[in-house]
Amino acid sequence: MRLAVYNVENLFDRAKAMNLGSWAEGRPVLDRFAALNSLLGQVTYSGSDKAEMARLMIELGLEKSDTGPFVLLRRNRGGLLKRPRSGGLEIVADGRADWVGSLELRDEPINEHAMRNTARVMGDLKADVLGVVEAESRPVLSAFNREILPAIGGAPLRHVMVIDGNDERGIDVGLMSREGYPIGAMRSHVDDLLPNGEPVFSRDCPEFEVTTPTGARLVVMVNHLKSKGYGGKAASDAKRKAQAERIAEIYEGLIQQGTEHVAVIGDLNDTPDSDPLRPLIEGTSLTDASEHGAFDDGGYPGTYGPCTASNKIDYMLLSPALYARVVAGGVFRKGMWPGVRPKKWDVYTELTRPEEAGSDHAALWVDLDI
């Protein structure tokens, strides 16, 4: 069977702030969005809280309207703010109970060529079981599978599953599989909590049980850990390390229960030698599939952007029994922008500009004799 994983970077719609020319352009918006959302969620608002909320709202383009260029403020009931005729904003609510509503990121459609190149990658992988990172929802992933894959000559997969996670931007993780590889028992960890009461996982760490045509049972854990670029470095590293520790605990629990075939796959947003990933990479019996002699990285160690060693952030970590079943593996980059002087790898003829890339991430795959 072929097991693969691919960060699709959304399928139909993506937050406008994440769809700009570079991450550096969108990061200030996302940082302000996160800070404002955190303040809005507090039980009580102090005077300094209100002043900071007003400042952030103005910077997000909400001074004159609840619809800014990148965010949308929904006010369903109660009073949150006033907009004086003289200009500026005044927060009138004294706490979260005084108003009902939400702050949301505005979406825009994905580039059509990028969408089709994403589908080409998914089709050309020919995976029996495919982990998907950054899917908007199950209905969206299911529609993409039914409508877009056939449109580019690909074969739709039989099973599609996404459990809604913790990310407010609509980037969840899920699993797809072909006929003969049914998805059975599923377990979500969306409610796992840190000691401070916050969710452990930025998205989720779902466990999907898949049965092969031979009757073998495989547990696939799809992950998307905390991004380095969203928030301060210390807090980001600490969050990612806590997530790695929790994944390691879940993995060890499966092994102790007698589950031999376990795969931890996805975008872990850090390098193999990083401190945040140490609990998972060095603290368990999991082995990176890229270390296998039958694995071909195409001459580049990374999986993201220019694919240098510092850009290795996507993984297929396999339990000992599963690693022993690997017969081939590799990195699929035809949907990634290859640079221009010279091109680093071959791409689809339909990929002529960076914005037409299916994703900034490569897809990873392994063939398993199971």
Side-chain angles (χ1 to χ4, degrees), residues 58-80:
I58 291 171
E59 290 180 351
L60 286 168
L62 299 173
E63 182 174 6
K64 300 183 183 302
S65 168
D66 285 353
T67 301
F70 297 104
V71 301
L72 175 67
L73 178 63
R74 294 191 186 277
R75 292 187 290 157
N76 301 331
R77 199 165 63 243
L80 171 64

Side-chain angles (χ1 to χ4, degrees), residues 253-268:
L254 288 168
I255 295 299
Q256 291 171 12
Q257 294 166 17
T259 304
E260 292 186 335
H261 302 131
V262 182
V264 176
I265 63 177
D267 178 358
L268 304 188

Side-chain angles (χ1 to χ4, degrees), residues 215-341:
R217 187 168 67 96
L218 170 70
V219 174
V220 182
M221 299 161 62
V222 189
N223 274 271
H224 186 192
L225 301 194
K226 175 74 175 64
S227 169
K228 284 184 177 181
Y230 193 18
K233 182 181 185 307
S236 173
D237 286 354
K239 180 81 168 183
R240 206 157 45 256
K241 186 169 186 177
Q243 292 170 341
E245 289 172 343
R246 181 60 183 133
I247 298 169
E249 291 175 357
I250 297 167
Y251 167 73
E252 294 295 351
L254 288 168
I255 295 299
Q256 291 171 12
Q257 294 166 17
T259 304
E260 292 186 335
H261 302 131
V262 182
V264 176
I265 63 177
D267 178 358
L268 304 188
N269 268 316
D270 222 327
T271 54
D273 59 351
S274 65
D275 180 66
L277 296 192
R278 186 168 290 117
L280 193 58
I281 303 254
E282 298 181 12
T284 68
S285 60
L286 289 163
T287 302
D288 190 334
S290 66
E291 297 180 11
H292 199 283
F295 192 94
D296 181 8
D297 65 10
Y300 298 94
T303 63
Y304 173 78
C307 289
T308 61
S310 62
N311 299 120
K312 178 176 166 53
I313 60 176
D314 301 275
Y315 295 82
M316 303 189 79
L317 305 177
L318 310 178
S319 63
L322 199 58
Y323 187 80
R325 299 280 187 169
V326 173
V327 294
V331 183
F332 191 91
R333 297 188 175 94
K334 287 191 71 174
M336 296 179 73
W337 180 245
V340 292
R341 298 188 182 89

Side-chain angles (χ1 to χ4, degrees), residues 51-108:
E52 181 66 3
M53 286 180 199
R55 183 186 71 82
L56 289 168
M57 286 182 184
I58 291 171
E59 290 180 351
L60 286 168
L62 299 173
E63 182 174 6
K64 300 183 183 302
S65 168
D66 285 353
T67 301
F70 297 104
V71 301
L72 175 67
L73 178 63
R74 294 191 186 277
R75 292 187 290 157
N76 301 331
R77 199 165 63 243
L80 171 64
L81 60 83
K82 290 182 179 179
R83 293 186 173 93
R85 291 184 178 180
S86 57
L89 279 170
E90 178 187 352
I91 305 298
V92 297
D94 291 321
R96 192 63 180 90
D98 290 345
W99 69 287
V100 177
S102 61
L103 182 70
E104 302 171 11
L105 287 167
R106 293 182 61 186
D107 291 337
E108 67 179 4

Side-chain angles (χ1 to χ4, degrees), residues 329-366:
V331 183
F332 191 91
R333 297 188 175 94
K334 287 191 71 174
M336 296 179 73
W337 180 245
V340 292
R341 298 188 182 89
K343 291 184 177 181
K344 290 186 171 182
W345 46 78
D346 293 332
V347 299
Y348 296 120
T349 56
E350 296 84 359
L351 203 174
T352 60
R353 298 179 298 164
E355 56 266 32
E356 294 173 348
S359 173
D360 282 343
H361 294 254
L364 309 181
W365 61 273
V366 289

